[in-house]
Amino acid sequence: MRTQGIKPRIREILSKELPEELVKLLPKRWVRIGDVLLLPLRPELEPYKHRIAEVYAEVLGVKTVLRKGHIHGETRKPDYELLYGSDTVTVHVENGIKYKLDVAKIMFSPANVKERVRMAKVAKPDELVVDMFAGIGHLSLPIAVYGKAKVIAIEKDPYTFKFLVENIHLNKVEDRMSAYNMDNRDFPGENIADRILMGYVVRTHEFIPKALSIAKDGAIIHYHNTVPEKLMPREPFETFKRITKEYGYDVEKLNELKIKRYAPGVWHVVLDLRVFKS
Ligand SMILES: C[S@@+](CC[C@H](N)C(=O)[O-])C[C@H]1O[C@@H](n2cnc3c(N)ncnc32)[C@H](O)[C@@H]1O
C-alpha cells in the first residue's frame, strides 16, 4: 500500500516540464488505496500540482489523486485536496478482504495494517464479537471472514455505515455479521460479547463502562487508545484498570502492542485485556 522510490517514467516526463530543483522535490512515497492515490506534495510544487498528479495517475494507473491532509474529529474524517480525477470511492483489497470506501471521507490507515491482519487470527467460530467503532469494518471484517465468528458491528456515522453494509455483502459474511447504525452507547445488548473491539483513539476510555456492560464475564477487549510516550508503559492500562474497578470488574493484561506514532511523543497502542466481574 505504501510505495517508495519514484518511477523513472514519472521523472522522465516531469523533468521536461518542471525546473530541475523542483524535480528533486517530487514525492518518493505515496499511499495507494484501491485505485486512489494519496500523494504528499511539498508547497514548492503548488503551481504544478495538477500536472504532477496527472502524471502520477497515468504512470501508476489510478483514477484519482488526493493530496494528503490530516484526520480529525469524532468520526475521524480525513482532510484531502482533490488534485486529479473525481471519483474517490474505491475497493481496496488487503489480506484477501474487500474494503469499499470513499477515501476522501473515511480514514483507512496504512499504519494499521498489522492490526487488521492480526484480527484475522484472534477469534474462533463460536464467539460473539462486538465492534463498538466499526468504521467500514476495518477490524471486524477480518474476524468475520477468517475467524468465522459472529460479529455485531456498530457505526454511528451514516455515510460510513453505508460502506460497512456494502462490505458485509462484498465479503459474503451476511450470515454472521450484522451492522447497527447508532451511537454504541445506545446499543441495547448486555452481557453478550466474548470479544469487544474498541478501535478508537483519544477518548476511548470514555466508552469503557459501555464495553463492560456489553462484555460477558471473562471477555477479551482489544482496547485502543493514544498515550503520551512519557506515561508508557503504565498508561493506558492504569486508567482502564481504575475505571473497571469503579464498575466492579477486574482486568488482566494479556498483551500490549504499539500500532503507530500518532503525534510527536504520542503513540497509538492496543491492549488485549480480559475482564472479570469481581
Ligand atoms: C477511527 S475509525 C476506526 C475504525 C476501525 N475501528 C479501526 O480501528 O481501523 C472510528 C469509527 O468509529 C465511529 N464512531 C465514533 N464514535 C462512535 C460511537 N460513539 N458509536 C459508534 N461509532 C462511533 C466513527 O464514525 C469512525 O467510523
Side-chain angles (χ1 to χ4, degrees):
M1 190 170 173
R2 266 189 207 280
T3 317
Q4 229 170 351
I6 183 166
K7 299 243 185 239
R9 182 79 189 119
I10 293 176
R11 193 190 301 275
E12 191 188 319
I13 299 169
L14 287 171
S15 58
K16 293 189 190 120
E17 302 177 32
L18 267 62
E20 204 185 315
E21 66 277 13
L22 293 187
V23 174
K24 290 192 197 111
L25 302 180
L26 286 169
K28 296 184 179 64
R29 291 166 68 90
W30 51 84
V31 171
R32 186 181 176 144
I33 301 178
D35 49 8
V36 176
L37 198 70
L38 305 181
L39 200 61
L41 269 193
R42 307 252 311 226
E44 297 92 321
L45 297 169
E46 185 72 25
Y48 300 92
K49 62 185 178 185
H50 294 294
R51 177 61 185 145
I52 293 171
E54 184 180 18
V55 172
Y56 274 73
E58 281 168 10
V59 174
L60 299 171
V62 296
K63 63 179 178 185
T64 305
V65 179
L66 298 169
R67 187 180 195 167
K68 268 185 95 171
H70 298 285
I71 291 173
H72 53 82
E74 186 187 28
T75 51
R76 314 296 303 143
K77 296 249 194 270
D79 176 20
Y80 292 121
E81 179 187 359
L82 185 67
L83 292 180
Y84 176 82
S86 56
D87 186 6
T88 54
V89 174
T90 189
V91 178
H92 181 70
V93 182
E94 177 188 274
N95 190 27
I97 292 173
K98 296 186 185 101
Y99 292 99
K100 186 169 178 183
L101 75 158
D102 184 340
V103 180
K105 303 221 169 75
I106 298 169
M107 78 102 213
F108 194 91
S109 172
N112 296 2
V113 58
K114 268 200 192 155
E115 187 61 8
R116 289 189 292 270
V117 170
R118 189 174 82 98
M119 285 299 106
K121 298 174 202 135
V122 294
K124 294 181 194 64
D126 58 349
E127 288 186 11
L128 174 67
V129 181
V130 174
D131 186 352
M132 290 176 66
F133 303 91
I136 57 163
H138 299 80
L139 298 172
S140 44
L141 282 168
I143 289 191
V145 170
Y146 293 111
K148 314 258 186 245
K150 271 210 170 346
V151 176
I152 291 175
I154 310 168
E155 171 53 48
K156 173 177 171 169
D157 180 68
Y159 189 58
T160 305
F161 179 78
K162 184 175 93 70
F163 291 103
L164 171 63
V165 171
E166 275 196 67
N167 286 331
I168 291 173
H169 294 298
L170 271 178
N171 290 282
K172 301 186 172 58
V173 288
E174 307 88 329
D175 60 326
R176 51 191 181 274
M177 184 159 171
S178 49
Y180 290 78
N181 184 200
M182 58 163 64
D183 190 305
N184 56 40
R185 286 166 292 201
D186 299 327
F187 179 69
E190 280 183 17
N191 200 19
I192 57 164
D194 299 288
R195 187 178 297 275
I196 296 183
L197 308 184
M198 299 182 78
Y200 195 50
V201 288
V202 185
R203 295 170 38 223
T204 325
H205 48 281
E206 294 174 16
F207 298 85
I208 294 170
K210 185 64 192 181
L212 294 173
S213 78
I214 299 172
K216 275 189 195 165
D217 195 19
I220 290 179
I221 300 184
H222 300 286
Y223 177 72
H224 293 240
N225 213 342
T226 33
V227 57
E229 197 161 38
K230 58 180 189 297
L231 301 181
M232 287 164 68
R234 200 161 41 80
E235 289 291 359
F237 183 59
E238 282 300 317
T239 300
F240 192 95
K241 199 164 149 186
R242 180 177 51 74
I243 297 172
T244 49
K245 272 230 154 356
E246 274 171 34
Y247 282 81
Y249 287 78
D250 284 332
V251 53
E252 178 193 359
K253 178 154 79 165
L254 307 173
N255 195 9
E256 173 158 6
L257 298 165
K258 281 181 182 165
I259 294 204
K260 61 176 181 284
R261 202 177 279 284
Y262 180 78
V266 180
W267 285 90
H268 171 180
V269 300
V270 58
L271 274 56
D272 298 345
L273 304 165
R274 194 184 286 280
V275 292
F276 304 95
K277 294 197 167 102
S278 53

